[in-house]
Amino acid sequence: MSSNKTWIVGLLVLASNAFAQGADPVDLGGVTETHEMIPMRDGVKLSAFIYTPPGSGPWPVLLEQRYANGNDPGTQKSFAKLARGGYVTILANFRGSQQSEGIWRGYRHLAWGEQQDGYDLVEWLAKQPWSTGKVGTFGSSQAGFAQNFLAVTQPPHLVAQYMIDTGLSLYHEGYRIGGITRPERFKSMDKVARVPEHNRELLAEWFQHPTADSYWAAEDCTRYFDKMNVPCFTVGSWYDFMCVGSVDSYVGRQHRGGPNSIGTQQLMIGPWLHGRFKETNKSNEMEYPENAKFAMDAHMLRWFDHYLKGVDNGVTNEPTVRYYVMGAIGETDAPGNVWRTATDWPIAAKPTPYYLHADKSLRSKPSESPDDTVTWLADPQRPAPIPTIAFPGAKDARDYESHPEVRTFTTDVLTEPIEWTGKVQAELYVSSDARDTDFIVRVSDVYPDGRSILIMDYIRRARYREGFEREVFMKPNEVCKVAFDVGWLSQNFNRGHRIRVTIASTGAPFYEPNPNTGEPLTIDFPESTVVARNTIYLNQQNASRVLVPVVTTTTDVAK
């Protein structure tokens, strides 16, 4: 059957999935929702929900690819809203997820291998009678990853992209964070796989590749920035460990991309949590001024109106980089809580060391003692609690900090504000009586009332301290350096506040515990574990510290 006949005759027109189950249909404001099984090059068909504007068309097309269920009322209304902007808007599920045919393999079939499902979707959509042939893509998190994979494959009809809280490497920004494994997190993906057993098979396959070998390189987009060749607006969030992916995507495309990519990227980073919707000034326990809200859907339509409809709306003349400098909440004299602009990222900043001291202080100079150390235990059976699977930023971290196996290091009360904008790095000198263990570094803004508001944290598994390409196990009580990026931030710490760095080795379930044995890691947590006695060195010879980006001169720019 021809594609025209398929569109006219073969589509199942749905009010919504909920309606099919007997619930009230969703009012889509004149937009028509239909469902299509779209064929890929090998005959496998992917499930896609299509939202068509009222009228006769043709229209440009907006595509989001993801594995999550998309036919719920909230998603339906969101896609209909975009469709009313004059676009056919598509939600397509990954191969093997939801109603899509094929074997669930995560992102693998979206990449540049034998199957290229993103490429095939774009080209199929471009050829439909209701399409102008111009396709843009959008979406956050999983749909951000999908867009980086798609850009590498270079479908001819892909014109522009819009990514939110994105990633580039599943090894570094998804399945493994700092080298840790996350089997419990990814067992939960059974529910998105059409055949749940396929997810367990994929998880077992991952465990056969503990290092960043060729298996993981096959889905590492950082190797192919030169093939990314379209304009993209990238949105990142300070309270999100995946902010690193958003920043790296912008930098790679802007400076190492193809000719249509270099110089056409824009980046925005705001005081938000992970996820698509940024039209809020609230992040967990923090409520920022109204200026923190970003009307993202309206801006996204402006972006695509320019690139897919040729509208001269000035969107390309806007600042290349916009970032929100966070400040204290509820203090009238607090600097920060403003938008600034820049011609590129990162901005100029002075790398400034803050040294950890045995008296729990955080200072600009290292200890003069020859033998200062701090010790704690890492018990995988009784880990310190971080009771969430989402990054717990913008919350008071004192419950975690009060755990007996967590260590804090805090500055004196600040007499003047100080701004950190850029990347924070940790340089720890440590030892352990175990062959392997983890090290967590957190940064908090401590308010005069004692609240310790978490801004960022990250982790490094010791066996990967010399790189992710090989495992190097610790020798008992031998001092070694563990250095890693903690992440990106823009924070103005107000006078009267203090700055805190927290060090620990466990934080579950957010960071699934390390058995500490050095044995091969397994899907199911092993019965045999070791309590590691970990020591951080704070002396003249081995001065553990964080390196932070201190900014001394900036110009506030109104949003």
Side-chain angles (χ1 to χ4, degrees):
M1 184 179 290
S2 71
S3 60
N4 285 16
K5 290 181 180 179
T6 300
W7 171 249
I8 297 170
V9 180
L11 279 176
L12 173 63
V13 179
L14 303 174
S16 72
N17 195 42
F19 179 70
Q21 296 174 0
D24 293 335
V26 176
D27 181 2
L28 300 181
V31 171
T32 302
E33 182 193 51
T34 56
H35 183 252
E36 174 75 90
M37 296 297 290
I38 299 177
M40 300 294 98
R41 63 186 63 186
D42 61 352
V44 168
K45 295 179 180 179
L46 303 189
S47 172
F49 292 92
I50 302 175
Y51 297 82
T52 307
S56 58
W59 303 274
V61 178
L62 301 182
L63 166 67
E64 178 181 82
Q65 293 176 269
R66 66 188 193 190
Y67 52 70
N69 177 36
N71 208 28
D72 60 274
T75 302
Q76 289 174 299
K77 291 178 181 179
S78 174
F79 274 63
K81 179 181 177 181
L82 294 176
R84 287 194 295 273
Y87 296 89
V88 178
T89 309
I90 316 293
L91 190 156
N93 285 125
F94 293 3
R95 178 182 295 238
S97 70
Q98 307 301 332
Q99 300 178 57
S100 290
E101 297 175 353
I103 297 175
W104 165 251
R105 298 272 292 163
Y107 298 83
R108 295 235 151 208
H109 289 118
L110 304 180
W112 39 88
E114 185 176 345
Q115 276 77 44
Q116 297 183 19
D117 289 352
Y119 181 106
D120 292 350
L121 279 168
V122 168
E123 294 307 295
W124 186 91
L125 294 169
K127 296 173 184 176
Q128 300 313 301
W130 34 259
S131 171
T132 64
K134 293 185 176 183
V135 180
T137 61
F138 69 100
S140 71
S141 192
Q142 57 194 271
F145 269 110
Q147 290 185 78
N148 274 323
F149 281 104
L150 175 64
V152 175
T153 65
Q154 297 187 324
H157 291 89
L158 176 65
V159 177
Q161 297 183 303
Y162 200 104
M163 297 192 299
I164 307 103
D165 297 337
T166 189
L168 292 156
S169 165
L170 187 62
Y171 184 92
H172 291 293
E173 297 151 11
Y175 176 62
R176 292 179 181 272
I177 301 172
I180 68 167
T181 55
R182 309 172 72 199
E184 295 305 318
R185 162 69 178 85
F186 282 92
K187 285 178 184 178
S188 68
M189 298 295 285
D190 288 0
K191 65 180 179 293
V192 308
R194 184 176 52 84
V195 180
E197 290 79 6
H198 291 169
N199 185 57
R200 295 304 174 99
E201 293 168 2
L202 179 61
L203 194 58
E205 187 174 288
W206 289 347
F207 270 86
Q208 296 173 17
H209 300 274
T211 60
D213 58 11
S214 59
Y215 174 87
W216 294 107
E219 53 181 29
D220 182 355
C221 297
T222 63
R223 302 166 65 231
Y224 298 105
F225 282 123
D226 61 319
K227 295 185 180 298
M228 299 185 187
N229 197 32
V230 294
C232 182
F233 191 91
T234 301
V235 181
S237 304
W238 292 132
Y239 295 119
D240 179 17
F241 78 89
M242 283 182 64
C243 188
V244 62
S246 300
V247 170
D248 287 353
S249 290
Y250 160 80
V251 172
R253 287 168 176 250
Q254 182 78 338
H255 296 283
R256 296 159 51 196
N260 295 325
S261 177
I262 291 176
T264 67
Q265 309 299 303
Q266 291 185 21
L267 173 67
M268 170 177 278
I269 316 175
W272 308 304
L273 302 170
H274 182 81
R276 174 180 167 189
F277 299 102
K278 308 303 183 185
E279 297 188 20
T280 180
N281 59 328
K282 297 179 181 179
S283 293
N284 286 331
E285 298 170 8
M286 304 295 283
E287 183 171 348
Y288 289 94
E290 287 289 314
N291 70 344
K293 295 180 179 180
F294 173 46
M296 196 179 71
D297 280 355
H299 181 269
M300 181 161 61
L301 286 174
R302 288 185 63 231
W303 182 261
F304 286 127
D305 283 350
H306 174 76
Y307 283 106
L308 273 63
K309 295 181 180 179
V311 178
D312 184 11
N313 55 20
V315 71
T316 58
N317 298 324
E318 294 176 353
T320 302
V321 175
R322 284 167 273 188
Y323 64 100
Y324 195 88
V325 184
M326 300 181 292
I329 300 299
E331 299 176 10
T332 57
D333 65 336
N337 296 328
V338 295
W339 288 97
R340 293 204 184 106
T341 65
T343 57
D344 203 0
W345 191 265
I347 67 166
K350 180 181 179 181
T352 304
Y354 280 68
Y355 293 90
L356 284 57
H357 285 255
D359 64 358
K360 299 184 179 181
S361 65
L362 187 65
R363 307 182 199 171
S364 60
K365 294 183 179 180
S367 171
E368 295 181 359
S369 170
D371 54 7
D372 277 356
T373 62
V374 169
T375 299
W376 66 92
L377 300 180
D379 186 346
Q381 301 292 349
R382 299 172 184 82
I386 303 180
T388 179
I389 61 171
F391 174 60
K395 288 184 178 181
D396 190 347
R398 282 180 291 180
D399 282 350
Y400 180 75
E401 294 166 1
S402 65
H403 189 275
E405 307 305 335
V406 173
R407 301 291 178 260
T408 61
F409 305 86
T410 311
T411 66
D412 291 336
V413 174
L414 300 178
T415 58
E416 294 294 335
I418 185 168
E419 180 185 324
W420 296 5
T421 294
K423 182 182 287 183
V424 174
Q425 299 170 297
E427 293 181 357
L428 309 181
Y429 293 90
V430 298
S431 68
S432 179
D433 61 1
R435 296 184 68 223
D436 190 34
T437 191
D438 296 338
F439 294 96
I440 300 168
V441 175
R442 306 179 119 201
V443 175
S444 295
D445 180 4
V446 181
Y447 278 64
D449 61 9
R451 286 175 297 149
S452 179
I453 301 300
L454 179 65
I455 303 170
M456 64 196 314
D457 79 352
Y458 211 71
I459 191 169
R460 177 57 61 92
R461 184 147 288 183
R463 68 174 68 186
Y464 298 111
R465 66 190 181 278
E466 296 184 13
F468 294 98
E469 293 74 25
R470 61 187 184 128
E471 297 174 294
V472 180
F473 295 99
M474 303 180 79
K475 296 178 181 178
N477 303 314
E478 180 177 282
V479 179
C480 59
K481 182 179 181 180
V482 178
F484 57 97
D485 295 342
V486 183
W488 296 96
L489 87 170
S490 184
Q491 176 76 27
N492 205 315
F493 299 92
N494 197 16
R495 63 176 60 85
H497 287 228
R498 294 179 294 159
I499 303 169
R500 176 168 294 162
V501 171
T502 301
I503 308 290
S505 291
T506 59
F510 183 66
Y511 293 124
E512 296 181 29
N514 188 338
N516 296 334
T517 62
E519 297 299 318
L521 300 168
T522 55
I523 296 176
D524 295 317
F525 197 71
E527 294 182 4
S528 176
T529 63
V530 169
V531 178
R533 183 177 179 85
N534 296 337
T535 299
I536 187 168
Y537 292 79
L538 314 171
N539 52 46
Q540 290 175 318
Q541 182 177 357
N542 298 306
S544 295
R545 64 182 185 171
V546 292
L547 282 171
V548 308
V550 173
V551 175
T552 56
T553 57
T554 52
T555 301
D556 292 352
V557 177
K559 182 181 174 185

